[in-house]
């Protein structure tokens, strides 16, 4: 498949994240009805995070959310079609927030490829080291969605893939000519997801070592030898 075809497919998947990239309208500019809707949405998300912390993702129910927010079930469905849609939004907001800015900072640092890649991988290491119960539950759901449901996982996958695609495109000149930037991004994201999945299911799993091995593998296998 040509790079252009891969990038076109990637652009379609990235559409799922378009609404999250738009700048939010200041509350002061919202009408009374819009402010109320915004408050209800924020309450749904806040109570959902609290419930996930107590009962896990599997224990989260729409009935419990509605009881905590004091809304009717039909009101919930005005905001989210399913519980999984809500959790997917929480994953994007809680886990991926600020990551898009990170890639700009890494690229603008002017460091060599290997050092920039190390900085990016260290983000994943720190995320897992600092993860509490809620974050671990959301990470588990996020990785599971990628494998089990293309509709729910596509947006998150496209977002992470776009980060590494931009990174490899910026460093195109140091990559082996036979490797496309899309391939490099997909391999990297696939390996990152595999490490994360093992970390989710095994509390003794040494993910930092695996991440560092991934860094060594990418540097040795994807870079030009000249």
């Amino acid at each position: 498949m040509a790079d252009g075809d891969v990038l076109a497919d990637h652009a379609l998947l990235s559409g799922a994240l378009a609404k999250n990239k738009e700048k939010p309208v200041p509350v002061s500019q919202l009408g009374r009805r819009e402010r109320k809707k915004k408050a209800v949405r924020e309450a749904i998300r806040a109570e959902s995070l609290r419930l996930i912390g107590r009962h896990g993702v599997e224990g989260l129910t729409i009935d419990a959310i509605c009881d905590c927010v004091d809304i009717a079930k039909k009101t919930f469905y005005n905001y989210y079609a399913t519980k999984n849609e809500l959790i997917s939004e929480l994953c994007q907001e809680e886990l991926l927030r600020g990551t898009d800015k990170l890639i700009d900072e890494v690229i603008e640092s002017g460091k060599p490829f290997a050092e920039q890649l190390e900085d990016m991988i260290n983000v994943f290491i720190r995320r897992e080291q600092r993860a509490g119960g809620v974050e671990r539950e959301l990470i588990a759901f996020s990785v599971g969605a990628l494998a089990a449901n293309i509709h729910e996982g596509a947006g998150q996958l496209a977002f992470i893939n776009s980060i590494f695609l931009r990174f490899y495109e910026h460093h195109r000149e140091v990559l082996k000519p036979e490797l496309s930037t899309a391939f490099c991004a997909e391999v990297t994201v696939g390996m990152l997801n595999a490490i994360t999945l093992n970390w989710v299911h095994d509390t003794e799993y040494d993910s930092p070592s695996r991440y560092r091995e991934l860094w060594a593998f990418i540097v040795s296998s994807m870079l030009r030898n000249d």
Side-chain angles (χ1 to χ4, degrees):
M1 182 181 292
D3 277 5
D5 295 333
V6 175
L7 291 173
D9 290 342
H10 162 75
L12 289 174
L13 287 175
S14 296
L17 292 165
K19 63 180 181 181
N20 292 323
K21 290 181 177 290
E22 296 175 357
K23 292 184 178 180
V25 178
V27 175
S28 60
Q29 295 181 16
L30 296 175
R32 182 177 179 180
R33 183 177 181 182
E34 286 73 21
R35 289 198 301 272
K36 183 177 180 180
K37 289 175 65 176
K38 179 179 175 63
V40 172
R41 180 180 289 274
E42 290 177 350
I44 290 174
R45 286 162 46 172
E47 289 300 328
S48 296
L49 288 172
R50 186 180 66 82
L51 289 168
I52 289 172
R54 294 181 62 183
H55 308 292
V57 167
E58 292 299 321
L60 180 68
T61 66
I62 294 176
D63 286 333
I65 296 170
C66 292
D67 286 343
C68 291
V69 182
D70 194 22
I71 57 174
K73 210 167 184 178
K74 67 177 183 180
T75 301
F76 174 90
Y77 289 117
N78 288 336
Y79 294 87
Y80 301 99
T82 65
K83 181 185 80 170
N84 282 357
E85 181 181 300
L86 164 62
I87 299 173
S88 293
E89 182 178 293
L90 292 175
C91 288
Q92 291 184 21
E93 288 294 318
E94 298 299 317
L95 302 179
L96 304 180
R97 180 174 47 198
T99 310
D100 201 30
K101 182 181 178 182
L102 167 69
I103 184 61
D104 292 328
E105 294 175 351
V106 170
I107 291 177
E108 291 170 4
S109 71
K111 295 179 181 179
F113 172 90
E115 292 182 29
Q116 289 190 12
L117 178 63
E118 184 176 21
D119 287 343
M120 294 177 69
I121 287 180
N122 280 337
V123 171
F124 287 83
I125 294 176
R126 289 194 297 269
R127 181 189 70 174
E128 293 177 5
Q129 289 175 336
R130 298 172 182 173
V134 173
E135 290 82 4
R136 196 179 188 97
E137 285 285 331
L138 292 178
I139 291 171
F141 174 87
S142 179
V143 175
L146 296 179
N149 190 311
I150 186 61
H151 176 71
E152 291 167 6
Q156 298 165 54
L157 179 62
F159 183 85
I160 299 172
N161 199 66
S162 70
I163 291 173
F164 283 94
L165 184 60
R166 288 169 56 200
F167 174 70
Y168 285 118
E169 286 176 343
H170 182 75
H171 291 286
R172 169 71 269 186
E173 72 282 356
V174 303
L175 299 176
K176 291 181 178 179
E178 64 269 25
L179 300 179
S180 69
T181 55
F183 172 80
C184 293
E186 290 163 5
V187 168
T188 302
V189 172
M191 290 182 171
L192 287 171
N193 285 335
I195 294 171
T196 301
L197 186 61
N198 285 327
W199 170 80
V200 165
H201 293 292
D202 183 359
T203 56
E204 301 299 320
Y205 184 72
D206 186 8
S207 59
S209 293
R210 288 293 181 270
Y211 282 125
R212 294 186 180 100
E213 288 179 52
L214 172 58
W215 173 86
F217 171 79
I218 292 172
V219 170
S220 64
S221 64
M222 294 186 182
L223 298 188
R224 290 175 178 268
N225 295 321
D226 48 52

